[in-house]
Amino acid sequence: MLEQIRHIREEFERELRESADAKALEALRIKFLARKGLIAQLFEQLRTVPPDEKPGVGKALNELRSYAQSAYDEAIGQKKSRSADVRLDLTLPGRPKPVGTRHPITQTIEDLKRIFAGMGFGIAYGPDIEDDYHNFTALNFPPEHPARDMQDTFFISKNVLLRTHTSPVQIRVMKAQPPPVRVIIPGRVYRNEAVSARSHVIFHQIEALSVDRNVTFSELKGTLVSFVHQLYGSSVKYKFRPTFFPFTEPSADMYISCFICNQKGCPVCKYNGWLEILGAGMVHPNVLRHGGYDPRRYSGFAFGMGIERAALLRYGIDDIRLYFENDVRFLRQF
Ligand code: PHE
């Protein structure tokens, strides 16, 4: 009887090795493990074994049955996972990962940096949190100037505030290095205004400062005209209009012809054909002095423009709030 058990075990092992697929394994199960299978038949024969041999034979039989059952279970597990592999179709196209795009404000800043780098400007940055001195006093704002009013400025304390423009970095740059200086200064600025399609409490500016011996207003104009032609195309018309800033003298606003309606009149140019794009001027002697430069030896120009507005004109965006809402349906278009 023990001899028979060993034979059946060998037979099972051999057939298991030869079972290549699920069908063969099923045949194996029926032959050995089913209710009328070879192992069950051996258990039937156990009745005829003499009583003194029964414990040994019973033990061997039990071992055979549990060995065969677990070997079969294992084999079927492997066969299952192997047939799962077959369902992996390597010829299917992959799932594309969505690629992000840079924010339209970032893209516009990058383009402006490139244009001004081509005209010899480096890049400087300053802090968003400023003090009254850099944001106002050093820029020649008189003590009672309305721009210091709580209406426009987010004050953190009496002397600390969120910068209302990038011009305070002019002072920081001049203090940090001797002339000549030629930099652009991109950054965020903050104003305490009601949020609407046209204005926001946060926006971006790009400032330019160029100081050297004999820097003239015509150099400022030449720089701006070259810039405008590079950003908006060479067919765009421009004009300068005198204005006032405490930190420049003389000062001018620059306008370009509305390329959206070709000066026929549209909501973007408010039906007058011109778009104001930046403020500019010759750096005020007091500002040069606060920067540590001698205004009798050096002169300079500066200008500052809103980036949201520049991007708005490039992309035809009619609501400044869209830039700050992080709506991917908006952002995906750029
Ligand atoms: N700082 C001014 C503004 O915020 C812009 C400006 C910068 C004007 C430099 C002249 C020179 O409106």
Side-chain angles (χ1 to χ4, degrees):
M1 183 81 189
L2 286 170
E3 184 76 344
Q4 225 179 335
I5 291 172
R6 224 188 56 231
H7 271 127
I8 290 197
R9 183 181 172 121
E10 282 168 9
E11 197 179 334
F12 174 86
E13 284 175 334
R14 193 180 57 243
E15 290 191 18
L16 180 65
R17 271 197 305 277
E18 289 164 0
S19 306
D21 54 23
K23 223 172 110 194
L25 278 171
E26 178 60 8
L28 182 86
R29 186 188 68 80
I30 289 165
K31 180 170 173 190
F32 290 91
L33 289 159
R35 206 130 49 90
K36 300 259 161 65
L38 287 176
I39 292 173
Q41 284 171 33
L42 286 174
F43 273 97
E44 288 289 310
Q45 287 179 39
L46 193 57
R47 272 186 281 139
T48 64
V49 170
D52 56 326
E53 288 176 27
K54 252 184 191 160
V57 174
K59 189 165 171 258
L61 252 180
N62 274 322
E63 270 171 22
L64 171 64
R65 185 170 60 181
S66 66
Y67 155 75
Q69 186 66 51
S70 59
Y72 165 80
D73 289 346
E74 197 180 308
I76 221 167
Q78 278 178 10
K79 286 278 145 29
K80 276 214 184 99
S81 62
R82 217 180 283 158
S83 58
D85 286 350
V86 172
R87 273 185 268 124
L88 178 73
D89 183 351
L90 294 173
T91 65
L92 286 174
R95 293 192 192 92
K97 286 218 172 78
V99 178
T101 56
R102 281 176 309 154
H103 195 281
I105 295 296
T106 307
Q107 289 187 35
T108 303
I109 292 174
E110 296 293 314
D111 292 340
L112 294 174
K113 279 184 188 168
R114 209 174 307 123
I115 291 172
F116 285 110
M119 294 193 276
F121 287 81
I123 298 175
Y125 298 97
D128 288 18
I129 300 173
E130 264 295 3
D131 50 30
D132 179 278
Y133 173 77
H134 287 90
N135 198 78
F136 295 126
T137 306
L139 291 170
N140 201 36
F141 279 78
E144 302 306 326
H145 196 281
R148 294 178 186 229
D149 199 305
M150 291 289 288
Q151 299 283 311
D152 302 314
T153 309
F154 286 114
F155 282 96
I156 292 165
S157 65
K158 191 172 177 294
N159 275 312
V160 182
L161 46 84
L162 295 178
R163 64 179 178 192
T164 58
H165 52 177
T166 41
S167 301
V169 190
Q170 288 188 26
I171 303 294
R172 294 184 178 276
V173 168
M174 286 190 279
K175 277 193 189 146
Q177 66 164 92
V181 15
R182 199 167 165 85
V183 291
I184 56 163
I185 303 152
R188 291 194 190 101
V189 301
Y190 306 84
R191 285 184 199 177
N192 191 357
E193 284 175 36
V195 175
S196 72
R198 300 207 142 246
S199 63
H200 210 291
V201 290
I202 174 174
F203 57 102
H204 295 75
Q205 286 187 335
I206 198 155
E207 186 97 5
L209 176 69
S210 180
V211 184
D212 200 351
R213 284 177 173 276
N214 305 316
V215 172
T216 61
F217 196 90
S218 55
E219 192 177 332
L220 167 61
K221 273 178 84 174
T223 304
L224 289 174
V225 170
S226 168
F227 154 67
V228 157
H229 283 164
Q230 288 180 68
L231 189 65
Y232 294 109
S234 53
S235 60
V236 91
K237 286 183 273 180
Y238 60 87
K239 69 178 182 183
F240 291 91
R241 205 170 79 168
T243 187
F244 173 80
F245 298 107
F247 36 91
T248 48
E249 182 60 35
S251 306
D253 282 330
M254 186 180 194
Y255 293 76
I256 58 171
S257 54
C258 183
F259 51 84
I260 291 170
C261 65
N262 236 326
Q263 296 196 295
K264 287 186 188 75
C266 71
V268 175
C269 65
K270 294 189 198 141
Y271 300 96
N272 69 29
W274 292 96
L275 303 162
E276 186 195 327
I277 55 159
L278 56 84
M282 300 307 290
V283 182
H284 195 288
N286 288 345
V287 174
L288 290 172
R289 230 173 263 123
H290 278 120
Y293 291 8
D294 182 353
R296 285 165 306 184
R297 297 181 66 202
Y298 294 99
S299 59
F301 67 72
F303 57 87
M305 80 185 114
I307 294 172
E308 277 74 8
R309 192 161 164 75
L312 175 156
L313 296 175
R314 294 175 84 196
Y315 300 119
I317 297 157
D318 58 5
D319 192 329
I320 192 172
R321 288 170 293 196
L322 288 167
Y323 292 122
F324 298 100
E325 282 167 359
N326 281 338
D327 186 332
V328 289
R329 290 169 301 178
F330 170 72
L331 296 173
R332 265 203 206 113
Q333 301 172 67
F334 302 95

